[in-house]
Amino acid sequence: MLSSLLVGALSLGVLVPTSVAAPFSALEKRASGSLLAIVPKASSCSGAPSAGECKTAAEAVPFINQSFQTYGITSPAEAAALVSIMAFESGDFKYNVNHFPGVPGQGTRNMQSPDFNMKYAKSIPALKEKLATAGTDPKAVLALLTADGALDFGSAAWFLTTQCSAPIREALKTGSLAGWKSYITECVQTTVTPDRQAYWDRAARAMGVPGH
């Protein structure tokens, strides 16, 4: 879980208390406001283009927190990378299904490919029976993941901790631009663009990553 040091340092407020049992609703109020420093368009879902997919910053915070706890994310730089990729790929949390160009089964908040969504779904014991019913239908598998906010926002942390190599994670933890670019190009296997990097820069600053 995130340490008490991060509770104080991450003004983003993707904040987890040192005791899992401790309430953190008060932190979430601060957190949602700080998350808006990274995702300013996530203040409201009014007029969202795809019904049922949008989440505000306030709604996203507890799910992001939960993903960090579930997958043991304790590095500010890794946390910033995860928030930034989810915000960028989901269009500021407006989407969790790929509509452009519309790849069947691609989605969750980091817009995983159908193949990775299947791997992710198989890693979740609670989905075993439902996954057997869904079979290999990529849309049905995606629907299982997006139906649960914790799973929807948990995919990015799952991907980082299960699909990225140790050297890539260690480089990312340094908080350097080179480390983040390596994560994007070598693990996520996509391109670095100015728009994508802008989300990383905002997240790194908001979350107190050294050097930002």
Side-chain angles (χ1 to χ4, degrees):
M1 82 188 66
L2 292 179
S3 68
S4 58
L5 172 62
L6 293 183
V7 171
L10 301 189
S11 61
L12 160 67
V14 185
L15 305 172
V16 179
T18 52
S19 169
V20 173
F24 55 103
S25 58
L27 293 178
E28 286 178 4
K29 183 176 181 180
R30 187 179 78 198
S32 62
S34 299
L35 184 53
L36 290 173
I38 302 170
V39 200
K41 295 180 181 179
S43 62
S44 170
C45 283
S46 177
S50 189
E53 295 184 39
C54 183
K55 287 287 186 288
T56 65
E59 292 170 325
V61 164
F63 295 131
I64 295 172
N65 277 341
Q66 187 173 343
S67 77
F68 289 177
Q69 293 182 69
T70 299
Y71 294 101
I73 302 299
T74 60
S75 158
E78 285 193 319
L82 293 175
V83 171
S84 67
I85 197 170
M86 287 189 287
F88 177 80
E89 294 289 352
S90 67
D92 302 310
F93 304 146
K94 296 294 190 293
Y95 301 98
N96 60 5
V97 174
N98 178 278
H99 296 280
F100 316 103
V103 177
Q106 182 174 359
T108 69
R109 294 299 162 175
N110 62 328
M111 288 296 157
Q112 288 190 149
S113 71
D115 287 345
F116 284 118
N117 280 335
M118 177 61 83
K119 290 182 180 180
Y120 177 41
K122 286 181 176 180
S123 76
I124 301 165
L127 291 183
K128 185 176 181 179
E129 291 185 8
K130 292 180 179 179
L131 193 58
T133 301
T136 58
D137 180 350
K139 288 185 176 181
V141 173
L142 177 59
L144 293 178
L145 298 173
T146 57
D148 184 323
L151 301 182
D152 190 19
F153 280 88
S155 57
W158 169 82
F159 186 91
L160 173 66
T161 57
T162 65
Q163 305 301 310
C164 296
S165 69
I168 286 177
R169 290 192 65 186
E170 289 305 310
L172 179 57
K173 288 176 184 178
T174 68
S176 68
L177 180 60
W180 172 75
K181 285 183 175 181
S182 177
Y183 160 65
I184 293 297
T185 60
E186 297 179 39
C187 186
V188 180
Q189 296 191 352
T190 190
T191 56
V192 172
T193 65
D195 286 346
R196 184 183 292 276
Q197 186 175 330
Y199 281 85
W200 157 250
D201 289 338
R202 290 196 299 270
R205 286 194 300 271
M207 300 182 77
V209 175
H212 294 267

